[in-house]
Amino acid sequence: MKKLTALLLFVLSASALAAAQAKPQALVFAYNAFAPWKTFDSQGQPAGPYTDIVRELARRMHLSLRFLPCPLSRCLAAMQNGKADLMIGVQNTPQRARYLDFLDPPFANDNRLAFYQRSGDSRDISHYSDLLPLTVGVVEGVQYQPQFDADGRIRRDAGPTVESSFRKLVAGRVDVLIDNEQQSALLASSEEFAGRVQRARLTLDNPHPNRLALARHSPLQPEKAEFEHALRAMLADGTISRLLAFERARIR
């Protein structure tokens, strides 16, 4: 009887050890730079409040964090094929929901969308209809606002980054660009673009809440409830509000 008990304890211990070893210990973060929320510091290290949110989430989940820098389209592909586990700030669409599991609760509400035109451009862009004769610079793969995204009348010129859209605007290759209000304000005031672009009067509301997305093919998918529990705790204890408020105050 003692031998049987010892054997059962050994089997249970071995099973528990194997399960612990099977659980992934690294969280692969598909990292598309999105200043000021996801960027790189002067040493080339990932920085910004969205980055810090994921760092804290990984800490609470007892996972090491590995960054996978990539443009948006490549990051989405990495999530789709299981090479990355998590993204932050990417918008939910029916197509993306096939391979991205958007976590609840949202960590923030999105802000407004701004338009920029060249300095000295006298055209008044204050109504949505003012966009129709123009070429609008957009970022490839980004979903902006339902009306704008579905409007086949809008002529779009897609680039890989917001910075490339600003450069096209300055060079006269597009008439106007659309971007997140806070990110565009930061870029417009940068050394490269200050005095060369001006904000148009038109603003669009962006109704999408911001969520973290876990890849449906991620080996961490069974831990979804734990991710959501940790996220809820970060909202409840003010961690997320503190990180986001610091950045918003800095760029005002």
Side-chain angles (χ1 to χ4, degrees), residues 24 82 85 215 217-223:
D85 302 303
H217 293 305
S218 167
L220 290 166
Q221 179 63 219
E223 315 300 321

Side-chain angles (χ1 to χ4, degrees), residues 188-202:
S189 62
S190 68
E191 183 178 354
E192 182 177 1
F193 303 116
R196 307 176 75 186
V197 298
Q198 63 188 28
R199 182 167 173 173
R201 290 202 292 166
L202 176 63

Side-chain angles (χ1 to χ4, degrees), residues 239-250:
T239 297
I240 289 178
S241 294
R242 174 176 54 80
L243 292 171
L244 295 178
F246 177 81
E247 185 62 31
R248 284 172 180 148
R250 188 183 72 82

Side-chain angles (χ1 to χ4, degrees), residues 2 12 14 23-24 50 80 96 114 176 182 185 194-195 217 227 231:
K2 289 183 179 179
L12 290 172
K23 179 180 176 178
Y50 283 11
Q80 189 169 10
R96 291 174 182 173
V176 65
Q182 290 170 319
H217 293 305
F227 275 102
L231 180 60

Side-chain angles (χ1 to χ4, degrees), residues 80-125:
Q80 189 169 10
N81 60 31
K83 292 184 178 178
D85 302 303
L86 193 78
M87 290 186 76
I88 184 172
V90 64
Q91 290 185 0
N92 190 351
T93 67
Q95 181 181 6
R96 291 174 182 173
R98 296 172 188 166
Y99 57 90
L100 298 180
D101 197 354
F102 288 87
L103 301 181
D104 284 317
F107 68 89
N109 291 321
D110 223 336
N111 66 346
R112 298 185 302 172
L113 296 163
F115 291 85
Y116 278 80
Q117 59 195 121
R118 281 181 298 283
S119 293
D121 186 345
S122 61
R123 286 174 292 190
D124 180 19
I125 305 172

Side-chain angles (χ1 to χ4, degrees), residues 44-55:
Q45 297 302 309
Y50 283 11
T51 311
D52 291 337
I53 287 171
V54 175
R55 280 196 174 106

Side-chain angles (χ1 to χ4, degrees), residues 128-146:
Y128 184 85
S129 59
D130 295 330
L131 297 174
L132 300 183
L134 307 179
T135 299
V136 183
V138 299
V139 176
E140 184 178 0
V142 171
Q143 302 290 315
Y144 292 98
Q145 190 249 22

